[in-house]
Amino acid sequence: MVAKLVKLVAAATLALGISSAWAQGVVHEGTVVDTMNGGGYTYVQIKESDKTFWAAGPQVEVSKGDTVVVQEQMWMNDFTSKTLNRTFDELLFVGRIDKK
Protein backbone atom coordinates (compact mmCIF):
# COMPACT_ATOMS: atom_id res chain seq x y z
CA MET A 1 0.00 0.00 0.00
CA VAL A 2 2.73 2.50 0.98
CA ALA A 3 4.86 1.50 -2.03
CA LYS A 4 1.88 2.10 -4.33
CA LEU A 5 1.32 5.54 -2.79
CA VAL A 6 5.00 6.45 -3.19
CA LYS A 7 4.85 5.44 -6.87
CA LEU A 8 1.73 7.56 -7.39
CA VAL A 9 3.34 10.61 -5.76
CA ALA A 10 6.52 10.12 -7.83
CA ALA A 11 4.49 9.83 -11.04
CA ALA A 12 2.47 12.95 -10.19
CA THR A 13 5.65 14.87 -9.42
CA LEU A 14 7.17 13.91 -12.77
CA ALA A 15 3.92 14.62 -14.63
CA LEU A 16 3.76 18.13 -13.17
CA GLY A 17 7.41 18.81 -13.94
CA ILE A 18 8.18 19.69 -10.34
CA SER A 19 11.90 19.62 -9.63
CA SER A 20 13.20 17.74 -6.61
CA ALA A 21 14.59 21.04 -5.28
CA TRP A 22 11.05 22.43 -5.11
CA ALA A 23 9.89 19.36 -3.25
CA GLN A 24 12.68 19.98 -0.73
CA GLY A 25 11.65 23.64 -0.40
CA VAL A 26 15.06 25.21 -1.02
CA VAL A 27 14.78 28.90 -0.08
CA HIS A 28 17.13 31.65 -1.24
CA GLU A 29 17.49 35.13 0.26
CA GLY A 30 19.61 37.87 -1.22
CA THR A 31 19.96 41.38 -2.57
CA VAL A 32 18.51 42.46 -5.91
CA VAL A 33 21.42 43.42 -8.20
CA ASP A 34 19.29 43.98 -11.31
CA THR A 35 15.60 43.66 -12.20
CA MET A 36 13.34 43.94 -15.23
CA ASN A 37 9.73 43.16 -16.12
CA GLY A 38 8.48 41.47 -19.25
CA GLY A 39 5.53 39.35 -20.32
CA GLY A 40 3.88 39.51 -16.90
CA TYR A 41 7.01 38.31 -15.12
CA THR A 42 9.59 40.01 -12.96
CA TYR A 43 13.18 38.92 -13.51
CA VAL A 44 15.55 39.57 -10.62
CA GLN A 45 19.28 39.04 -10.41
CA ILE A 46 19.91 38.01 -6.80
CA LYS A 47 23.23 38.10 -4.94
CA GLU A 48 23.16 35.50 -2.19
CA SER A 49 26.38 35.29 -0.13
CA ASP A 50 29.01 34.19 -2.67
CA LYS A 51 26.79 33.51 -5.71
CA THR A 52 24.63 35.52 -8.08
CA PHE A 53 21.74 34.09 -10.11
CA TRP A 54 18.63 35.14 -12.03
CA ALA A 55 15.09 34.24 -10.91
CA ALA A 56 11.72 34.89 -12.56
CA GLY A 57 8.27 34.97 -11.01
CA PRO A 58 4.90 36.73 -11.28
CA GLN A 59 5.31 40.47 -11.78
CA VAL A 60 5.98 42.43 -8.57
CA GLU A 61 7.49 45.78 -7.65
CA VAL A 62 11.12 45.35 -6.62
CA SER A 63 14.10 47.66 -6.87
CA LYS A 64 17.84 47.27 -6.94
CA GLY A 65 19.08 46.96 -3.37
CA ASP A 66 15.89 45.30 -2.05
CA THR A 67 16.27 42.08 -0.08
CA VAL A 68 14.10 39.31 -1.55
CA VAL A 69 13.23 35.72 -0.69
CA VAL A 70 12.41 33.07 -3.31
CA GLN A 71 11.69 29.35 -3.12
CA GLU A 72 13.03 27.02 -5.81
CA GLN A 73 10.53 25.50 -8.21
CA MET A 74 12.37 24.83 -11.46
CA TRP A 75 15.80 25.67 -12.90
CA MET A 76 16.10 26.16 -16.67
CA ASN A 77 19.31 26.33 -18.69
CA ASP A 78 19.63 28.58 -21.76
CA PHE A 79 16.16 30.06 -21.26
CA THR A 80 15.22 32.66 -23.89
CA SER A 81 12.71 35.36 -23.02
CA LYS A 82 11.19 36.53 -26.31
CA THR A 83 9.67 39.55 -24.55
CA LEU A 84 13.06 40.71 -23.24
CA ASN A 85 14.95 39.43 -26.31
CA ARG A 86 17.47 37.89 -23.93
CA THR A 87 18.81 34.43 -23.12
CA PHE A 88 19.65 33.53 -19.53
CA ASP A 89 22.38 30.91 -19.04
CA GLU A 90 20.55 29.67 -15.95
CA LEU A 91 17.18 30.88 -14.67
CA LEU A 92 15.25 29.87 -11.56
CA PHE A 93 11.46 29.96 -11.94
CA VAL A 94 9.64 30.73 -8.69
CA GLY A 95 6.00 30.99 -7.63
CA ARG A 96 6.58 34.38 -6.01
CA ILE A 97 9.21 36.95 -5.17
CA ASP A 98 8.82 38.31 -1.64
CA LYS A 99 10.45 41.52 -0.41
CA LYS A 100 11.83 41.20 3.08
Side-chain angles (χ1 to χ4, degrees):
M1 178 78 165
V2 172
K4 193 179 262 188
L5 182 61
V6 169
K7 284 182 184 177
L8 283 172
V9 170
T13 300
L14 289 174
L16 294 172
I18 300 171
S19 76
S20 60
W22 182 80
Q24 294 169 10
V26 177
V27 174
H28 297 277
E29 179 179 326
T31 304
V32 176
V33 177
D34 197 2
T35 183
M36 58 192 81
N37 292 330
Y41 292 93
T42 294
Y43 295 78
V44 288
Q45 187 178 32
I46 300 171
K47 178 163 180 36
E48 178 186 45
S49 47
D50 60 347
K51 66 181 175 182
T52 303
F53 63 93
W54 281 95
Q59 192 164 326
V60 295
E61 288 295 319
V62 294
S63 304
K64 292 179 184 179
D66 285 348
T67 299
V68 294
V69 177
V70 296
Q71 182 174 355
E72 286 191 12
Q73 284 192 329
M74 180 174 64
W75 285 97
M76 299 260 322
N77 292 320
D78 300 319
F79 176 80
T80 300
S81 166
K82 292 179 181 170
T83 307
L84 298 175
N85 193 27
R86 177 177 179 160
T87 299
F88 297 88
D89 293 337
E90 188 177 60
L91 182 65
L92 172 61
F93 282 96
V94 298
R96 56 196 263 186
I97 300 168
D98 292 318
K99 281 199 281 188
K100 191 163 180 193

